[in-house]
Amino acid sequence: MKLVEHFEHGLDAPICLTWELTYACNLECAHCLSSSGRRDPRELTTEQCEAVIDELQRMQVFYVNIGGGEPTIRPDFWHLLEYAVAHQVGVKFSTNGVRITPERAAFLASTDYVDVQISLDGATAEVNDHVRGPGSFDTALLALRNLRDAGFRDAKISVVCTRHNIGQLDEFQAIADEYAATLRLTRLRPSGRGADVWDELHPLPEQQRELYDWLLAHGDGVLTGDSFFHLAAFGPADGSGALPGLNLCGAGRVVCLIDPVGDVYACPFAIHDQFHAGNLLADGGFKRVWQTSPLFAELRSPQTGGACTKCSHYDACRGGCMAAKFFTGLPLDGPDPECVQGHSELALAGVRTVPAASQDHSKPAPTRNQPVMLQLMTRPLSRPPVGDCAESPLAGFTP
Amino acid sequence: MSTPQLDEPWALAPSVALRPEPFGALAYHFGNRKLIFLKRPELVAVVRGLSCADDVRSALVGAGVPEASWPSYLAALEGLAESDMLRRREVRAA
């Protein structure tokens, strides 16, 4: 059996596990894939989190990607970080940088098994703050500066690729070089609040090509979290144009997500009832959910490519991302909404129902940190404007 | 960076852990966070045997690898050494 087939059948423990520690967040990013904002009152306690780490150690899950929400605003975050490292579970955590003070940066620089990932979705404040909110660019860069000045080596700069920042890839690389960091590019998913802005933000077809070419040119020097395997279909049908990585959907097979209340989902981009495998408090622990959930058994069974099996590029892209299809209302055994061969255009134009969110921790009312995704536009002056004092209800209307 | 030779003593680096898998094992380096798939159970046996073997040759013999396959195993060990998964030991095993 080839290695990739082992992965498709699932392993006894995940290779890569994402753990969202809290739904609370100081920001309100427009595309947040976990619809975060408010803390969930059922959030796992410190003791429950320690028990999860103990179990991961027994399963030899070597590292977890910790995220949120903003994980560092949990009061016990630094304790849990040290607890994990002391139990042979390495940590990479994602943060918007809000708590990476010079003191914390010095602490992080003193640890061996901790990796830090700062989210930045624009190489300029204008592009970044448009989706992440006012001030978030400066916060991220200050965190990067603190880490560099404290001697922390090789922080990651995590960029969600959007229509507005694909043209900035070289500028992102320059920022990474300036802060002795590594660039990590990932795909925008229509998950969580991302569903609301996906039409507006997802890269245009020609930008997909630009991104693919850029990634090919930069090879192993840039991380992608295996995000872009749908782009492999730009290459030859034999899959030889694949980008570095596993190039398959690992959901429920080699990856999964634990959410702040202990719910286990197939992947970080699939926080929805449809992909809910169980709860580690209610269903006897994480190992039991991972190994016995009917949903995961189904994901590990042979999949059919559906409409995609007719396509000569199917072996290269494997039909793309399950979450991207689900949250755009496309069939799971059909093409990815961003199929680079254009096979999803018909389905996207046709009748489809975008599934309703099954959880939402967004703040009930916007705060000053909420991004305002409005642009100043000019109205084309094809005809003279109607005067302010025109009283007719049909003023300006030309049948 | 040195390359494992048949008559040299080598061992798994201290910050590397192996997780058994049906295809062989996952090797994870906690320091540089590299993850490598050991795709054959025999290779896992060789790697595990290194630290208590006099040298690479005896680890290969101990794992029952036929001599004709040694070059490909040495190439695999070289790849592991490049990622700091394996390190040359200074002293021979007692």
Side-chain angles (χ1 to χ4, degrees):
Chain A
M1 192 152 64
K2 289 196 302 192
L3 191 60
V4 67
E5 290 168 5
H6 281 285
F7 295 153
E8 285 177 346
H9 288 91
L11 301 179
D12 288 344
I15 295 177
C16 176
L17 176 73
T18 300
W19 185 4
E20 317 283 38
L21 271 187
T22 180
Y23 280 121
C25 193
N26 53 312
L27 297 185
E28 296 164 60
C29 301
H31 56 322
C32 179
L33 55 89
S34 55
S35 298
S36 285
R38 289 168 298 147
R39 182 179 168 276
D40 192 301
R42 301 165 297 161
E43 194 168 87
L44 298 183
T45 64
T46 305
E47 293 71 30
Q48 288 167 333
C49 289
E50 289 172 355
V52 173
I53 293 167
D54 293 342
E55 199 173 11
L56 297 179
Q57 179 185 22
R58 288 195 294 275
M59 292 175 78
Q60 284 197 286
V61 175
F62 297 127
Y63 67 97
V64 288
N65 297 306
I66 288 183
E70 171 53 45
T72 62
I73 61 181
R74 253 190 87 122
D76 58 1
F77 173 77
W78 304 98
H79 163 75
L80 291 173
L81 188 76
E82 294 192 64
Y83 188 89
V85 169
H87 288 77
Q88 282 82 48
V89 178
V91 171
K92 174 157 94 174
F93 71 91
S94 292
T95 173
N96 55 45
V98 66
R99 292 283 164 90
I100 310 296
T101 58
E103 295 74 30
R104 290 301 185 195
F107 161 73
L108 290 166
S110 74
T111 65
D112 274 341
Y113 299 158
V114 179
D115 201 4
V116 186
Q117 186 163 290
I118 309 281
S119 301
L120 193 70
D121 295 334
T124 52
E126 185 193 7
V127 172
N128 178 80
D129 294 3
H130 180 66
V131 288
R132 301 186 57 82
S136 57
F137 181 83
D138 292 341
T139 302
L141 262 67
L142 178 59
L144 284 166
R145 188 175 314 130
N146 288 341
L147 287 167
R148 181 193 58 191
D149 293 351
F152 185 90
R153 296 205 333 255
D154 200 23
K156 309 295 181 288
I157 299 178
S158 191
V159 177
V160 174
C161 293
T162 68
R163 195 169 298 181
H164 303 308
N165 68 23
I166 296 261
Q168 297 186 313
L169 295 178
D170 289 331
E171 290 163 80
F172 280 118
Q173 186 61 58
I175 294 176
D177 293 343
E178 183 183 346
Y179 291 100
T182 298
L183 192 56
R184 178 175 186 269
L185 303 178
T186 60
R187 182 175 178 192
L188 173 73
R189 264 74 170 208
S191 319
R193 287 198 296 269
D196 303 334
V197 292
W198 192 78
D199 286 339
E200 191 179 334
L201 290 182
H202 82 92
L204 297 168
E206 62 271 21
Q207 292 181 313
Q208 304 264 28
R209 180 82 218 193
E210 187 182 342
L211 173 63
Y212 176 72
D213 291 341
W214 197 91
L215 288 170
L216 272 191
H218 288 74
D220 283 328
V222 59
L223 306 172
T224 64
D226 244 3
S227 252
F228 297 112
F229 61 94
H230 69 298
L231 298 181
F234 274 129
D238 64 2
S240 60
L243 300 161
L246 293 181
N247 282 295
L248 73 121
C249 170
R253 300 158 162 178
V254 296
V255 308
C256 76
L257 171 101
I258 302 176
D259 96 335
V261 301
D263 281 333
V264 179
Y265 294 94
C267 100
F269 314 106
I271 304 181
H272 192 279
D273 290 344
Q274 179 105 358
F275 302 107
H276 181 243
N279 181 284
L280 48 80
L281 298 180
D283 298 318
F286 174 69
K287 182 176 181 181
R288 203 179 149 92
V289 173
W290 175 263
Q291 295 187 350
T292 65
S293 130
L295 171 75
F296 285 176
E298 190 186 324
L299 291 172
R300 293 164 194 166
S301 65
Q303 306 284 306
T304 59
C308 287
T309 38
K310 292 197 295 283
C311 174
S312 60
H313 291 273
Y314 179 65
D315 284 340
C317 78
R318 315 293 293 169
C321 170
M322 181 179 78
K325 292 186 250 200
F326 177 76
F327 287 111
T328 48
L330 296 183
L332 296 188
D333 62 351
D336 187 286
E338 294 182 295
C339 169
V340 300
Q341 295 292 323
H343 295 317
S344 58
E345 282 166 16
L346 263 181
L348 283 172
V351 181
R352 60 191 164 101
T353 310
V354 174
S358 53
Q359 68 87 20
D360 188 359
H361 288 80
S362 301
K363 287 171 186 158
T367 72
R368 65 198 164 106
N369 288 338
Q370 191 187 52
V372 181
M373 289 180 61
L374 292 176
Q375 288 170 310
L376 288 175
M377 314 273 276
T378 50
R379 187 178 51 155
L381 281 178
S382 56
R383 55 177 189 266
V386 175
D388 286 343
C389 53
E391 287 179 346
S392 164
L394 293 177
F397 174 71
T398 321
Chain B
M1 184 69 63
S2 59
T3 306
Q5 306 292 332
L6 281 176
D7 56 356
E8 289 172 354
W10 280 71
L12 212 54
S15 48
V16 174
L18 295 181
R19 184 173 106 191
E21 293 292 345
F23 54 84
L26 295 180
Y28 182 71
H29 191 303
F30 283 97
N32 62 27
R33 300 180 199 97
K34 282 192 178 155
L35 181 70
I36 291 190
F37 305 108
L38 306 184
K39 299 177 196 174
R40 301 181 66 95
E42 298 85 349
L43 178 60
V44 180
V46 173
V47 167
R48 284 196 192 278
L50 280 174
S51 59
C52 50
D54 278 342
D55 51 25
V56 173
R57 180 184 285 108
S58 35
L60 287 165
V61 172
V65 178
E67 198 166 342
S69 307
W70 287 4
S72 62
Y73 277 79
L74 278 175
L77 295 180
E78 185 181 344
L80 289 167
E82 273 170 14
S83 301
D84 192 38
M85 296 276 179
L86 300 181
R87 287 181 189 172
R88 206 187 146 166
R89 275 183 291 145
E90 292 309 315
V91 286
R92 288 178 177 262

PDB file of all heavy atoms in Angstrom, chain A residues 82-108:
ATOM      1  N   GLU A  82       3.073  25.682  28.766  1.00  0.00           N
ATOM      2  CA  GLU A  82       4.173  25.009  29.471  1.00  0.00           C
ATOM      3  C   GLU A  82       3.809  23.569  29.813  1.00  0.00           C
ATOM      4  O   GLU A  82       4.644  22.669  29.761  1.00  0.00           O
ATOM      5  CB  GLU A  82       4.527  25.795  30.743  1.00  0.00           C
ATOM      6  CG  GLU A  82       5.107  27.157  30.417  1.00  0.00           C
ATOM      7  CD  GLU A  82       5.726  27.846  31.626  1.00  0.00           C
ATOM      8  OE1 GLU A  82       6.708  27.328  32.164  1.00  0.00           O
ATOM      9  OE2 GLU A  82       5.198  28.897  32.031  1.00  0.00           O
ATOM     10  N   TYR A  83       2.539  23.359  30.164  1.00  0.00           N
ATOM     11  CA  TYR A  83       2.080  22.006  30.508  1.00  0.00           C
ATOM     12  C   TYR A  83       2.234  21.077  29.298  1.00  0.00           C
ATOM     13  O   TYR A  83       2.719  19.952  29.416  1.00  0.00           O
ATOM     14  CB  TYR A  83       0.622  22.055  30.967  1.00  0.00           C
ATOM     15  CG  TYR A  83       0.123  20.740  31.530  1.00  0.00           C
ATOM     16  CD1 TYR A  83       0.253  20.450  32.888  1.00  0.00           C
ATOM     17  CD2 TYR A  83      -0.467  19.790  30.697  1.00  0.00           C
ATOM     18  CE1 TYR A  83      -0.200  19.243  33.398  1.00  0.00           C
ATOM     19  CE2 TYR A  83      -0.924  18.581  31.199  1.00  0.00           C
ATOM     20  CZ  TYR A  83      -0.785  18.309  32.548  1.00  0.00           C
ATOM     21  OH  TYR A  83      -1.223  17.105  33.057  1.00  0.00           O
ATOM     22  N   ALA A  84       1.846  21.560  28.115  1.00  0.00           N
ATOM     23  CA  ALA A  84       1.930  20.739  26.901  1.00  0.00           C
ATOM     24  C   ALA A  84       3.383  20.388  26.594  1.00  0.00           C
ATOM     25  O   ALA A  84       3.720  19.222  26.348  1.00  0.00           O
ATOM     26  CB  ALA A  84       1.291  21.477  25.722  1.00  0.00           C
ATOM     27  N   VAL A  85       4.242  21.391  26.619  1.00  0.00           N
ATOM     28  CA  VAL A  85       5.642  21.152  26.276  1.00  0.00           C
ATOM     29  C   VAL A  85       6.276  20.171  27.270  1.00  0.00           C
ATOM     30  O   VAL A  85       7.061  19.300  26.884  1.00  0.00           O
ATOM     31  CB  VAL A  85       6.397  22.503  26.247  1.00  0.00           C
ATOM     32  CG1 VAL A  85       7.885  22.279  26.173  1.00  0.00           C
ATOM     33  CG2 VAL A  85       5.925  23.326  25.055  1.00  0.00           C
ATOM     34  N   ALA A  86       5.880  20.284  28.544  1.00  0.00           N
ATOM     35  CA  ALA A  86       6.423  19.373  29.554  1.00  0.00           C
ATOM     36  C   ALA A  86       5.904  17.954  29.359  1.00  0.00           C
ATOM     37  O   ALA A  86       6.453  17.008  29.928  1.00  0.00           O
ATOM     38  CB  ALA A  86       6.055  19.875  30.951  1.00  0.00           C
ATOM     39  N   HIS A  87       4.850  17.794  28.567  1.00  0.00           N
ATOM     40  CA  HIS A  87       4.288  16.457  28.327  1.00  0.00           C
ATOM     41  C   HIS A  87       4.495  16.002  26.887  1.00  0.00           C
ATOM     42  O   HIS A  87       3.666  15.285  26.320  1.00  0.00           O
ATOM     43  CB  HIS A  87       2.794  16.443  28.694  1.00  0.00           C
ATOM     44  CG  HIS A  87       2.565  16.494  30.168  1.00  0.00           C
ATOM     45  ND1 HIS A  87       2.683  17.657  30.893  1.00  0.00           N
ATOM     46  CD2 HIS A  87       2.275  15.530  31.069  1.00  0.00           C
ATOM     47  CE1 HIS A  87       2.463  17.407  32.171  1.00  0.00           C
ATOM     48  NE2 HIS A  87       2.214  16.126  32.300  1.00  0.00           N
ATOM     49  N   GLN A  88       5.601  16.423  26.303  1.00  0.00           N
ATOM     50  CA  GLN A  88       5.978  15.983  24.948  1.00  0.00           C
ATOM     51  C   GLN A  88       4.900  16.261  23.902  1.00  0.00           C
ATOM     52  O   GLN A  88       4.702  15.487  22.968  1.00  0.00           O
ATOM     53  CB  GLN A  88       6.336  14.479  24.925  1.00  0.00           C
ATOM     54  CG  GLN A  88       7.715  14.149  25.450  1.00  0.00           C
ATOM     55  CD  GLN A  88       7.727  14.062  26.958  1.00  0.00           C
ATOM     56  OE1 GLN A  88       6.874  13.405  27.527  1.00  0.00           O
ATOM     57  NE2 GLN A  88       8.671  14.730  27.580  1.00  0.00           N
ATOM     58  N   VAL A  89       4.198  17.359  24.082  1.00  0.00           N
ATOM     59  CA  VAL A  89       3.287  17.818  23.027  1.00  0.00           C
ATOM     60  C   VAL A  89       3.761  19.221  22.640  1.00  0.00           C
ATOM     61  O   VAL A  89       3.592  20.173  23.392  1.00  0.00           O
ATOM     62  CB  VAL A  89       1.821  17.849  23.509  1.00  0.00           C
ATOM     63  CG1 VAL A  89       0.912  18.377  22.398  1.00  0.00           C
ATOM     64  CG2 VAL A  89       1.358  16.465  23.946  1.00  0.00           C
ATOM     65  N   GLY A  90       4.429  19.296  21.490  1.00  0.00           N
ATOM     66  CA  GLY A  90       4.919  20.591  21.030  1.00  0.00           C
ATOM     67  C   GLY A  90       3.751  21.486  20.644  1.00  0.00           C
ATOM     68  O   GLY A  90       2.663  21.008  20.332  1.00  0.00           O
ATOM     69  N   VAL A  91       3.969  22.782  20.692  1.00  0.00           N
ATOM     70  CA  VAL A  91       2.879  23.719  20.443  1.00  0.00           C
ATOM     71  C   VAL A  91       3.271  24.719  19.363  1.00  0.00           C
ATOM     72  O   VAL A  91       4.357  25.287  19.386  1.00  0.00           O
ATOM     73  CB  VAL A  91       2.513  24.496  21.731  1.00  0.00           C
ATOM     74  CG1 VAL A  91       1.538  25.628  21.419  1.00  0.00           C
ATOM     75  CG2 VAL A  91       1.916  23.560  22.773  1.00  0.00           C
ATOM     76  N   LYS A  92       2.375  24.890  18.411  1.00  0.00           N
ATOM     77  CA  LYS A  92       2.448  26.059  17.546  1.00  0.00           C
ATOM     78  C   LYS A  92       1.161  26.821  17.788  1.00  0.00           C
ATOM     79  O   LYS A  92       0.081  26.236  17.701  1.00  0.00           O
ATOM     80  CB  LYS A  92       2.554  25.653  16.086  1.00  0.00           C
ATOM     81  CG  LYS A  92       2.486  26.844  15.138  1.00  0.00           C
ATOM     82  CD  LYS A  92       3.118  26.532  13.808  1.00  0.00           C
ATOM     83  CE  LYS A  92       2.096  26.065  12.814  1.00  0.00           C
ATOM     84  NZ  LYS A  92       2.666  25.898  11.478  1.00  0.00           N
ATOM     85  N   PHE A  93       1.260  28.075  18.166  1.00  0.00           N
ATOM     86  CA  PHE A  93       0.001  28.778  18.385  1.00  0.00           C
ATOM     87  C   PHE A  93      -0.136  29.982  17.454  1.00  0.00           C
ATOM     88  O   PHE A  93       0.838  30.625  17.086  1.00  0.00           O
ATOM     89  CB  PHE A  93      -0.199  29.157  19.855  1.00  0.00           C
ATOM     90  CG  PHE A  93       0.690  30.251  20.384  1.00  0.00           C
ATOM     91  CD1 PHE A  93       0.298  31.579  20.327  1.00  0.00           C
ATOM     92  CD2 PHE A  93       1.901  29.953  20.987  1.00  0.00           C
ATOM     93  CE1 PHE A  93       1.107  32.586  20.835  1.00  0.00           C
ATOM     94  CE2 PHE A  93       2.717  30.957  21.491  1.00  0.00           C
ATOM     95  CZ  PHE A  93       2.326  32.272  21.416  1.00  0.00           C
ATOM     96  N   SER A  94      -1.375  30.228  17.067  1.00  0.00           N
ATOM     97  CA  SER A  94      -1.705  31.341  16.183  1.00  0.00           C
ATOM     98  C   SER A  94      -2.246  32.479  17.014  1.00  0.00           C
ATOM     99  O   SER A  94      -3.108  32.272  17.867  1.00  0.00           O
ATOM    100  CB  SER A  94      -2.791  30.929  15.188  1.00  0.00           C
ATOM    101  OG  SER A  94      -2.293  29.990  14.289  1.00  0.00           O
ATOM    102  N   THR A  95      -1.764  33.663  16.734  1.00  0.00           N
ATOM    103  CA  THR A  95      -2.203  34.814  17.508  1.00  0.00           C
ATOM    104  C   THR A  95      -2.240  36.042  16.616  1.00  0.00           C
ATOM    105  O   THR A  95      -1.528  36.101  15.605  1.00  0.00           O
ATOM    106  CB  THR A  95      -1.262  35.063  18.714  1.00  0.00           C
ATOM    107  OG1 THR A  95      -1.631  36.283  19.359  1.00  0.00           O
ATOM    108  CG2 THR A  95       0.199  35.169  18.277  1.00  0.00           C
ATOM    109  N   ASN A  96      -3.061  37.015  17.001  1.00  0.00           N
ATOM    110  CA  ASN A  96      -3.012  38.277  16.269  1.00  0.00           C
ATOM    111  C   ASN A  96      -1.938  39.187  16.855  1.00  0.00           C
ATOM    112  O   ASN A  96      -1.725  40.288  16.373  1.00  0.00           O
ATOM    113  CB  ASN A  96      -4.389  38.960  16.271  1.00  0.00           C
ATOM    114  CG  ASN A  96      -4.951  39.168  17.666  1.00  0.00           C
ATOM    115  OD1 ASN A  96      -4.242  39.611  18.566  1.00  0.00           O
ATOM    116  ND2 ASN A  96      -6.230  38.858  17.850  1.00  0.00           N
ATOM    117  N   GLY A  97      -1.276  38.715  17.926  1.00  0.00           N
ATOM    118  CA  GLY A  97      -0.117  39.419  18.470  1.00  0.00           C
ATOM    119  C   GLY A  97      -0.415  40.285  19.673  1.00  0.00           C
ATOM    120  O   GLY A  97       0.489  40.869  20.268  1.00  0.00           O
ATOM    121  N   VAL A  98      -1.693  40.346  20.078  1.00  0.00           N
ATOM    122  CA  VAL A  98      -2.103  41.337  21.080  1.00  0.00           C
ATOM    123  C   VAL A  98      -1.386  41.164  22.430  1.00  0.00           C
ATOM    124  O   VAL A  98      -1.175  42.128  23.145  1.00  0.00           O
ATOM    125  CB  VAL A  98      -3.642  41.311  21.246  1.00  0.00           C
ATOM    126  CG1 VAL A  98      -4.112  39.991  21.837  1.00  0.00           C
ATOM    127  CG2 VAL A  98      -4.133  42.482  22.068  1.00  0.00           C
ATOM    128  N   ARG A  99      -1.004  39.921  22.763  1.00  0.00           N
ATOM    129  CA  ARG A  99      -0.355  39.712  24.067  1.00  0.00           C
ATOM    130  C   ARG A  99       1.136  39.393  23.942  1.00  0.00           C
ATOM    131  O   ARG A  99       1.751  38.933  24.891  1.00  0.00           O
ATOM    132  CB  ARG A  99      -1.058  38.560  24.807  1.00  0.00           C
ATOM    133  CG  ARG A  99      -2.474  38.867  25.234  1.00  0.00           C
ATOM    134  CD  ARG A  99      -2.510  39.753  26.472  1.00  0.00           C
ATOM    135  NE  ARG A  99      -3.818  40.364  26.679  1.00  0.00           N
ATOM    136  CZ  ARG A  99      -4.803  39.824  27.396  1.00  0.00           C
ATOM    137  NH1 ARG A  99      -4.635  38.654  27.966  1.00  0.00           N
ATOM    138  NH2 ARG A  99      -5.937  40.466  27.544  1.00  0.00           N
ATOM    139  N   ILE A 100       1.714  39.590  22.753  1.00  0.00           N
ATOM    140  CA  ILE A 100       3.137  39.284  22.598  1.00  0.00           C
ATOM    141  C   ILE A 100       3.951  40.522  22.987  1.00  0.00           C
ATOM    142  O   ILE A 100       4.463  41.265  22.145  1.00  0.00           O
ATOM    143  CB  ILE A 100       3.464  38.809  21.157  1.00  0.00           C
ATOM    144  CG1 ILE A 100       2.501  37.698  20.732  1.00  0.00           C
ATOM    145  CG2 ILE A 100       4.913  38.326  21.068  1.00  0.00           C
ATOM    146  CD1 ILE A 100       2.605  36.422  21.534  1.00  0.00           C
ATOM    147  N   THR A 101       4.031  40.742  24.290  1.00  0.00           N
ATOM    148  CA  THR A 101       4.804  41.860  24.837  1.00  0.00           C
ATOM    149  C   THR A 101       6.294  41.498  24.791  1.00  0.00           C
ATOM    150  O   THR A 101       6.645  40.342  24.566  1.00  0.00           O
ATOM    151  CB  THR A 101       4.413  42.082  26.296  1.00  0.00           C
ATOM    152  OG1 THR A 101       4.673  40.851  27.005  1.00  0.00           O
ATOM    153  CG2 THR A 101       2.929  42.421  26.432  1.00  0.00           C
ATOM    154  N   PRO A 102       7.189  42.460  25.028  1.00  0.00           N
ATOM    155  CA  PRO A 102       8.620  42.118  25.081  1.00  0.00           C
ATOM    156  C   PRO A 102       8.901  41.020  26.116  1.00  0.00           C
ATOM    157  O   PRO A 102       9.729  40.138  25.874  1.00  0.00           O
ATOM    158  CB  PRO A 102       9.278  43.449  25.476  1.00  0.00           C
ATOM    159  CG  PRO A 102       8.351  44.504  24.965  1.00  0.00           C
ATOM    160  CD  PRO A 102       6.964  43.915  25.111  1.00  0.00           C
ATOM    161  N   GLU A 103       8.185  41.024  27.246  1.00  0.00           N
ATOM    162  CA  GLU A 103       8.410  40.015  28.285  1.00  0.00           C
ATOM    163  C   GLU A 103       7.994  38.628  27.787  1.00  0.00           C
ATOM    164  O   GLU A 103       8.712  37.647  27.961  1.00  0.00           O
ATOM    165  CB  GLU A 103       7.626  40.358  29.562  1.00  0.00           C
ATOM    166  CG  GLU A 103       8.075  41.640  30.266  1.00  0.00           C
ATOM    167  CD  GLU A 103       7.639  42.905  29.532  1.00  0.00           C
ATOM    168  OE1 GLU A 103       6.583  42.896  28.855  1.00  0.00           O
ATOM    169  OE2 GLU A 103       8.376  43.911  29.614  1.00  0.00           O
ATOM    170  N   ARG A 104       6.804  38.547  27.171  1.00  0.00           N
ATOM    171  CA  ARG A 104       6.340  37.255  26.651  1.00  0.00           C
ATOM    172  C   ARG A 104       7.248  36.781  25.517  1.00  0.00           C
ATOM    173  O   ARG A 104       7.520  35.589  25.369  1.00  0.00           O
ATOM    174  CB  ARG A 104       4.899  37.372  26.138  1.00  0.00           C
ATOM    175  CG  ARG A 104       3.860  37.564  27.226  1.00  0.00           C
ATOM    176  CD  ARG A 104       3.864  36.421  28.214  1.00  0.00           C
ATOM    177  NE  ARG A 104       2.776  36.569  29.177  1.00  0.00           N
ATOM    178  CZ  ARG A 104       2.697  35.902  30.312  1.00  0.00           C
ATOM    179  NH1 ARG A 104       3.667  35.037  30.642  1.00  0.00           N
ATOM    180  NH2 ARG A 104       1.690  36.071  31.128  1.00  0.00           N
ATOM    181  N   ALA A 105       7.702  37.719  24.703  1.00  0.00           N
ATOM    182  CA  ALA A 105       8.597  37.355  23.610  1.00  0.00           C
ATOM    183  C   ALA A 105       9.885  36.749  24.160  1.00  0.00           C
ATOM    184  O   ALA A 105      10.394  35.752  23.629  1.00  0.00           O
ATOM    185  CB  ALA A 105       8.896  38.577  22.749  1.00  0.00           C
ATOM    186  N   ALA A 106      10.386  37.321  25.256  1.00  0.00           N
ATOM    187  CA  ALA A 106      11.608  36.792  25.860  1.00  0.00           C
ATOM    188  C   ALA A 106      11.361  35.386  26.396  1.00  0.00           C
ATOM    189  O   ALA A 106      12.207  34.483  26.246  1.00  0.00           O
ATOM    190  CB  ALA A 106      12.082  37.714  26.982  1.00  0.00           C
ATOM    191  N   PHE A 107      10.188  35.178  27.014  1.00  0.00           N
ATOM    192  CA  PHE A 107       9.856  33.843  27.505  1.00  0.00           C
ATOM    193  C   PHE A 107       9.801  32.849  26.336  1.00  0.00           C
ATOM    194  O   PHE A 107      10.356  31.751  26.391  1.00  0.00           O
ATOM    195  CB  PHE A 107       8.521  33.858  28.254  1.00  0.00           C
ATOM    196  CG  PHE A 107       7.898  32.499  28.401  1.00  0.00           C
ATOM    197  CD1 PHE A 107       8.428  31.562  29.292  1.00  0.00           C
ATOM    198  CD2 PHE A 107       6.804  32.127  27.620  1.00  0.00           C
ATOM    199  CE1 PHE A 107       7.869  30.295  29.399  1.00  0.00           C
ATOM    200  CE2 PHE A 107       6.247  30.862  27.726  1.00  0.00           C
ATOM    201  CZ  PHE A 107       6.786  29.942  28.617  1.00  0.00           C
ATOM    202  N   LEU A 108       9.126  33.251  25.256  1.00  0.00           N
ATOM    203  CA  LEU A 108       8.980  32.354  24.103  1.00  0.00           C
ATOM    204  C   LEU A 108      10.344  32.019  23.500  1.00  0.00           C
ATOM    205  O   LEU A 108      10.594  30.889  23.080  1.00  0.00           O
ATOM    206  CB  LEU A 108       8.058  32.986  23.054  1.00  0.00           C
ATOM    207  CG  LEU A 108       6.587  33.051  23.477  1.00  0.00           C
ATOM    208  CD1 LEU A 108       5.797  33.976  22.558  1.00  0.00           C
ATOM    209  CD2 LEU A 108       5.972  31.650  23.475  1.00  0.00           C
TER     210      LEU A 108
END
